[in-house]
Amino acid sequence: MQVGFIGLGIMGSRMAARLQEGGHTLAVHNRTRAKAEPVLSAGARWADSPAEAAAGAACVVTMLSAPDAVRAAALGERGFLPAMAAGTVWVDCSTVNPSFAREMAAAAAERGVRFLDAPVSGSKGPAAEGTLAFLVGGAEGDLATVRPLLERMGSSISHCGPAGQGAAMKMVTNLLLGLGMLAFSEALVLGQSLGLEKDTLLESLLGGRMTPGFLQGRKGKFASEQFDTDFPLQWMHKDLHLVAESAFETGVTLPATSAAEEVYGLAKRAGLGGLDAAAVYRLLWQAREEP
Amino acid sequence: MQVGFIGLGIMGSRMAARLQEGGHTLAVHNRTRAKAEPVLSAGARWADSPAEAAAGAACVVTMLSAPDAVRAAALGERGFLPAMAAGTVWVDCSTVNPSFAREMAAAAAERGVRFLDAPVSGSKGPAAEGTLAFLVGGAEGDLATVRPLLERMGSSISHCGPAGQGAAMKMVTNLLLGLGMLAFSEALVLGQSLGLEKDTLLESLLGGRMTPGFLQGRKGKFASEQFDTDFPLQWMHKDLHLVAESAFETGVTLPATSAAEEVYGLAKRAGLGGLDAAAVYRLLWQAREEP
Amino acid sequence: MQVGFIGLGIMGSRMAARLQEGGHTLAVHNRTRAKAEPVLSAGARWADSPAEAAAGAACVVTMLSAPDAVRAAALGERGFLPAMAAGTVWVDCSTVNPSFAREMAAAAAERGVRFLDAPVSGSKGPAAEGTLAFLVGGAEGDLATVRPLLERMGSSISHCGPAGQGAAMKMVTNLLLGLGMLAFSEALVLGQSLGLEKDTLLESLLGGRMTPGFLQGRKGKFASEQFDTDFPLQWMHKDLHLVAESAFETGVTLPATSAAEEVYGLAKRAGLGGLDAAAVYRLLWQAREEP
Amino acid sequence: MQVGFIGLGIMGSRMAARLQEGGHTLAVHNRTRAKAEPVLSAGARWADSPAEAAAGAACVVTMLSAPDAVRAAALGERGFLPAMAAGTVWVDCSTVNPSFAREMAAAAAERGVRFLDAPVSGSKGPAAEGTLAFLVGGAEGDLATVRPLLERMGSSISHCGPAGQGAAMKMVTNLLLGLGMLAFSEALVLGQSLGLEKDTLLESLLGGRMTPGFLQGRKGKFASEQFDTDFPLQWMHKDLHLVAESAFETGVTLPATSAAEEVYGLAKRAGLGGLDAAAVYRLLWQAREEP
């Protein structure tokens, strides 16, 4: 399939490579060209603008950092949406709030373009191995059209409902990730301050009934306190902010989630934003003697 | 074994019955005698005071609501600690902060009494069935002495370290329970407000990698919104307050846990304190039209 | 001066009337026409669209509920901005985040229209009496042009800097209002729960060094617990959300403000949104026996 | 009057000196003797224990750091309470929770000793100048007895009600101090992040209707960002913790106060505990580039 791929960051570059290895033909665009080199040298066509990436494509995939970036690529100067042919499909894998996804779905529909919000769970490892989990909103028929693409990039594809519902489930997932990681960090901090050994806590709590399973993959990071980055803390902060936005838009109140956003925000300001999100532990467990 | 059992609430009455069925001889004391009737009619001796319950006992078990209640029973008027013989064992199953447990351990040691802090995980069902999980602090030899008693009441006995370390692990567990239940409630509230079905959310999230396993037992409550009580919300509030106390005493800061304490507090004031702790969901998901 | 006035809610209707009484000629537009009747019967021209309100106007004043409403009125279907002549002035009195104000300033500049963000402090009383406080961002010369209008509506005009800085100061003010009112509510709740008389607390604290002066005007509301509306609680919630948005955009973390947003959100969901913002007190001081 | 003075820290040493200069005869005790040197060289008698300080005293004044320290001095080994003659007065100026004050009042009454809780507002400057504000709980007659002492140390004496009500008003005051200082810090951080000048913010906000008057004295600290200590941040943390304790004991929920306790706690752990409480600003406004 002829695919326009826009956004080649940590996640997007690996996802594009998976499509390429699967035999799909790529035209790629990114804010900085350097990050495109691996896929270009493997045969992808470089596009100077989002619009050029969409030219001739049966499907455009976007993997961008935030709603504003998606809007600019789609509808800004030389945006891709006006360049897409009627009947083609735009798959937005970016993490955005559901109301934004529905806004993009409407903008696409005006031009006869089909739209799926398909944000992903998983970090750079699963992106490289094609084992991401897609949470998809949109029409079943449209999902069927691009399913072969999603199956190259992911090992789990959940259809959550009409446009926006993939994004909705992503918000729910982000809330559980962000709060779950912070809750465990607070538990570790409390336990150690009360004299329990960190190793004992990690052994007895991870994998048990008291903690969510996703934390098991972080055991080594908590043990070594080397928070090499699977998922940057500053993204967690941004994702929790999108959750807060979504909550405000729909009139609900999420006090613990909101407190968590603040803690990740403080951690980011304390210089931990580039480390793995689990480094929020370090903010709470810093030495007492620090100046 | 001759056992003095003090505190016959929801948990204590079931735990005492398990000991009695196991062939141990009980002298029981409770603030209100009515709750003692089942064990009395099964042959236990009534004690008018904590001291009387301890008379002749090889072991005293306490299952009380808070540190103050434990202190009063042990050291207040006609308290049991001065009535215990040297070499006997006091097992405190109440949920208390670790510094209090160590204080009681010291008070016991002054009188030659051996002390174990042995708080439990589990609610009334496991108490009735003898499948509680004990988190024990104290000397290994002392634990060996009373292990037959604990094995009648529980199916899991974890020795966490010296006196106070059972209580410490209980604080860690309480933090994860309280925050985990609130996090999931916020996730449910968010998901529904964004148009996802509650049943879909329950099916896709409980039992998965995003949520702790202990929540699976609450699926029916969240589905029906009938929060019949396994573990009262007001106890969760109290337990999170003990966590906050412990954190303050050891100089650590737990922002999400603290936010959670406030939410359970508001829920309690909104009249939900007697329902199951999962009813915190109801506070966050109350109808918009409410006056 | 020929003025287009858009947005005739609680505040806007009173502000427009002040301009009219001052001899200015008004063309008015509002989502629902009914609210325009008082100014129409006093001689204002009805405009079916924002664009019509701007026709022939030397100045357009907007007083709308949120950034989205302002954007729609200015740039949506039959929006007023394309209808304004070059050199005329748009004064936006709505409460918006500073980045949005700067975006509108840029959109105006593209069309040769001069822009001031001029949000107000004060509620319906000061709006009716022309004693609002304006916080103005934009060029000094542009402020000079419309100063006669602002002086009809307000008794204090602070020039805070270039475009966006009026909105910035409004964010700061909102933070202090929202947190100040909540802090005092928590103080009242604590004091009473500890046995102090509410009247004693009101007398000793309001007007003193421990509380901000703006609270004195709320004394009667706290005393009577009749929270007739000066400034609706749901607006405070919205305003604190804009503060949170602004904080996120500029990378700072405001933990107490964020906690306050959640509390007003819970109060709104508990049905207090239409009462005065001080009714947040009622959420925290509800009877214990409530079901 | 013959006065036993126990607790010669930053506050106590200055208060004792004021009494001495007023002609009262002092016997003083402190954990470390060095801090007593100034009053000793001015003629005070050193007491090796709290009990010795109380010997022969018509009044014992305590100025200690926390409830536990007060209890130990009063009722611990060689405590002063058993050493006081019937009819003499104990004035506790320490900041304690009201339930603790009532407990001490009862302990005193058992021995025929009169008790006043008389915590103070004000920091080291007012302590040195005798311009503290006393918030007094206890019998009016007992206050009359010691009024000459309080008038040497303070310029304002408020009788708040029976025993515990001075402490209660102190809790209310602490809440307003802690939240007020944090609210202003957040306002400063937000304003600057949005491009407003710090000096403009300080000038326009301090002394105005949006901020409590007590903050004016901090203007220089916020301006210079040199947070030399009037009132240590770690005391503010401790005081807000006492507020939280009191709130829990009386069954009320204070979400913003609780969030504030966490922020001061994080600031303390970040090494700011010994600076003035206003240094909480620094935690929130640390450079983005910090590692």
Side-chain angles (χ1 to χ4, degrees), chain D residues 35-54:
Chain D
K35 291 193 181 160
E37 289 307 335
V39 285
L40 294 180
S41 62
R45 171 170 66 83
W46 173 253
D48 267 334
S49 68
E52 268 185 48

Side-chain angles (χ1 to χ4, degrees), chain A:
Chain A
M1 203 184 289
Q2 173 70 33
V3 178
F5 202 109
I6 297 166
L8 297 163
I10 292 179
M11 300 293 288
S13 58
R14 287 165 174 80
M15 292 160 70
R18 287 286 308 171
L19 291 179
Q20 200 169 35
E21 290 159 20
H24 299 285
T25 309
L26 261 60
V28 300
H29 177 72
N30 195 48
R31 214 172 34 178
T32 56
R33 181 171 167 148
K35 292 193 179 160
E37 289 308 335
V39 286
L40 293 179
S41 63
R45 171 169 67 82
W46 172 253
D48 268 333
S49 69
E52 267 185 49
C59 174
V60 169
V61 178
T62 43
M63 186 62 185
L64 295 160
S65 62
D68 283 352
V70 176
R71 192 197 305 274
L75 296 167
E77 208 180 341
R78 301 173 72 203
F80 64 82
L81 200 48
M84 290 180 73
T88 60
V89 188
W90 169 19
V91 181
D92 184 20
C93 300
S94 318
T95 293
V96 300
N97 44 331
S99 65
F100 178 81
R102 284 191 293 267
E103 185 190 330
M104 290 301 106
E110 277 181 29
R111 291 157 177 87
V113 171
R114 297 142 77 193
F115 174 87
L116 295 170
D117 47 302
V120 299
S121 262
S123 51
K124 69 180 178 185
E129 293 152 22
T131 56
L132 294 168
F134 284 94
L135 302 165
V136 185
E140 282 204 32
D142 298 346
L143 172 54
T145 306
V146 299
R147 186 175 282 273
L149 297 180
L150 301 190
E151 286 179 344
R152 273 300 300 164
M153 299 186 285
S155 54
S156 152
I157 298 169
S158 308
H159 187 218
C160 303
Q165 297 310 69
M169 190 58 97
K170 187 62 171 27
M171 292 298 107
V172 172
T173 304
N174 285 347
L175 183 162
L176 290 168
L177 276 169
L179 256 180
M181 207 170 290
L182 178 55
F184 185 68
S185 296
E186 295 197 0
L188 265 190
V189 162
L190 176 68
Q192 288 177 271
S193 80
L194 293 171
L196 297 165
E197 295 290 331
K198 190 166 69 174
D199 283 352
T200 310
L201 289 162
L202 292 173
E203 288 307 320
S204 64
L205 295 173
L206 293 178
R209 285 167 47 80
M210 288 295 131
T211 57
F214 79 84
L215 282 169
Q216 280 185 275
R218 251 80 179 191
K219 190 191 275 192
K221 293 191 209 299
F222 285 115
S224 68
E225 299 189 22
Q226 298 305 313
F227 294 99
D228 53 295
T229 311
D230 283 352
F231 186 80
L233 188 144
Q234 61 207 7
W235 291 9
M236 185 68 91
H237 181 232
K238 177 182 68 66
D239 282 358
L240 288 177
H241 184 72
L242 279 178
V243 168
E245 265 312 288
S246 302
F248 181 81
E249 288 173 4
T250 59
V252 295
T253 297
L254 310 174
T257 308
S258 170
E261 183 191 342
E262 300 307 301
V263 180
Y264 286 102
L266 284 172
K268 186 180 156 194
R269 264 185 100 65
L272 306 170
L275 298 182
D276 190 73
V280 72
Y281 165 82
R282 198 186 280 179
L283 179 80
L284 300 176
W285 188 247
Q286 52 190 247
R288 295 170 198 226
E289 295 79 16
E290 255 180 73

Side-chain angles (χ1 to χ4, degrees), chain C residues 186 193 214 250 256-257 288, chain D residues 186 193 209 214 250 256-257 288:
Chain C
E186 296 196 0
S193 79
F214 79 85
T250 59
T257 308
R288 294 169 199 228
Chain D
E186 295 196 2
S193 80
R209 287 166 46 77
F214 79 84
T250 59
T257 308
R288 294 167 201 229

Side-chain angles (χ1 to χ4, degrees), chain C residues 165 169 172 175 179 182-183 186 189 191 193-196 204 209-214 250 252 254-257 263 288, chain D residues 165 169 172 175 179 182-183 186 189 191 193-196 204-205 209-214 250 252 254-257 263 288:
Chain C
Q165 297 309 71
M169 189 58 96
V172 171
L175 182 162
L179 257 181
L182 178 55
E186 296 196 0
V189 162
S193 79
L194 293 171
L196 298 166
S204 64
R209 286 167 46 80
M210 287 296 131
T211 57
F214 79 85
T250 59
V252 296
L254 309 174
T257 308
V263 180
R288 294 169 199 228
Chain D
Q165 296 310 69
M169 189 58 96
V172 172
L175 182 162
L179 257 180
L182 178 56
E186 295 196 2
V189 162
S193 80
L194 293 170
L196 298 165
S204 64
L205 295 173
R209 287 166 46 77
M210 287 296 131
T211 56
F214 79 84
T250 59
V252 296
L254 309 173
T257 308
V263 180
R288 294 167 201 229

Side-chain angles (χ1 to χ4, degrees), chain B residues 164-212:
Chain B
Q165 297 310 71
M169 189 58 96
K170 187 61 173 24
M171 293 297 107
V172 171
T173 304
N174 285 347
L175 182 162
L176 290 168
L177 276 169
L179 256 180
M181 207 170 288
L182 177 55
F184 185 67
S185 295
E186 295 198 0
L188 265 190
V189 162
L190 176 68
Q192 287 176 270
S193 79
L194 293 170
L196 298 165
E197 296 290 332
K198 190 166 71 176
D199 283 354
T200 311
L201 289 162
L202 292 174
E203 288 305 321
S204 64
L205 295 174
L206 293 177
R209 286 166 47 78
M210 288 295 131
T211 57

Side-chain angles (χ1 to χ4, degrees), chain C residues 3-287:
Chain C
V3 177
F5 202 109
I6 297 165
L8 297 163
I10 293 179
M11 299 294 288
S13 59
R14 288 164 174 81
M15 292 160 70
R18 288 285 308 170
L19 291 180
Q20 200 170 34
E21 291 160 18
H24 299 285
T25 310
L26 262 60
V28 301
H29 177 73
N30 194 49
R31 214 172 35 177
T32 56
R33 182 173 167 146
K35 292 194 179 158
E37 289 309 333
V39 285
L40 293 179
S41 62
R45 171 169 67 82
W46 172 254
D48 267 334
S49 69
E52 268 186 48
C59 175
V60 168
V61 178
T62 42
M63 186 63 184
L64 295 160
S65 62
D68 283 352
V70 176
R71 191 199 304 274
L75 297 167
E77 208 181 340
R78 301 172 72 201
F80 65 82
L81 199 48
M84 290 180 73
T88 60
V89 187
W90 169 20
V91 181
D92 184 20
C93 299
S94 318
T95 293
V96 301
N97 45 331
S99 64
F100 178 81
R102 284 191 292 268
E103 186 190 331
M104 290 301 106
E110 277 181 28
R111 290 156 178 87
V113 171
R114 297 141 77 193
F115 174 86
L116 295 170
D117 46 302
V120 299
S121 261
S123 51
K124 68 180 177 185
E129 295 152 20
T131 56
L132 294 168
F134 284 95
L135 301 165
V136 186
E140 282 203 31
D142 297 346
L143 172 54
T145 304
V146 300
R147 185 175 282 271
L149 297 180
L150 301 191
E151 286 178 345
R152 273 300 300 163
M153 299 186 285
S155 54
S156 152
I157 299 167
S158 308
H159 187 218
C160 303
Q165 297 309 71
M169 189 58 96
K170 188 62 172 26
M171 292 298 106
V172 171
T173 304
N174 285 346
L175 182 162
L176 290 168
L177 276 169
L179 257 181
M181 206 170 288
L182 178 55
F184 186 68
S185 296
E186 296 196 0
L188 266 190
V189 162
L190 176 68
Q192 288 176 270
S193 79
L194 293 171
L196 298 166
E197 295 290 331
K198 190 166 69 175
D199 284 352
T200 310
L201 289 162
L202 292 173
E203 288 307 320
S204 64
L205 295 174
L206 293 178
R209 286 167 46 80
M210 287 296 131
T211 57
F214 79 85
L215 281 169
Q216 280 184 275
R218 251 81 180 191
K219 191 190 273 191
K221 292 191 209 300
F222 284 115
S224 67
E225 299 190 21
Q226 297 304 314
F227 295 99
D228 53 296
T229 311
D230 283 353
F231 186 81
L233 188 144
Q234 62 207 7
W235 292 8
M236 185 69 92
H237 181 231
K238 177 183 69 65
D239 281 358
L240 288 177
H241 185 72
L242 279 178
V243 169
E245 265 311 288
S246 302
F248 181 81
E249 287 173 5
T250 59
V252 296
T253 297
L254 309 174
T257 308
S258 170
E261 183 191 342
E262 300 307 301
V263 180
Y264 286 103
L266 285 171
K268 186 179 156 196
R269 263 186 102 65
L272 305 169
L275 299 182
D276 189 74
V280 71
Y281 165 82
R282 196 185 280 178
L283 179 80
L284 300 175
W285 188 246
Q286 52 189 248

Side-chain angles (χ1 to χ4, degrees), chain B residues 120-170:
Chain B
V120 298
S121 263
S123 50
K124 69 180 176 184
E129 294 152 22
T131 56
L132 294 168
F134 285 93
L135 302 165
V136 185
E140 282 203 33
D142 298 345
L143 171 55
T145 305
V146 298
R147 184 175 282 274
L149 297 180
L150 301 191
E151 287 179 344
R152 273 300 300 163
M153 300 186 282
S155 55
S156 152
I157 298 168
S158 307
H159 187 220
C160 303
Q165 297 310 71
M169 189 58 96
K170 187 61 173 24

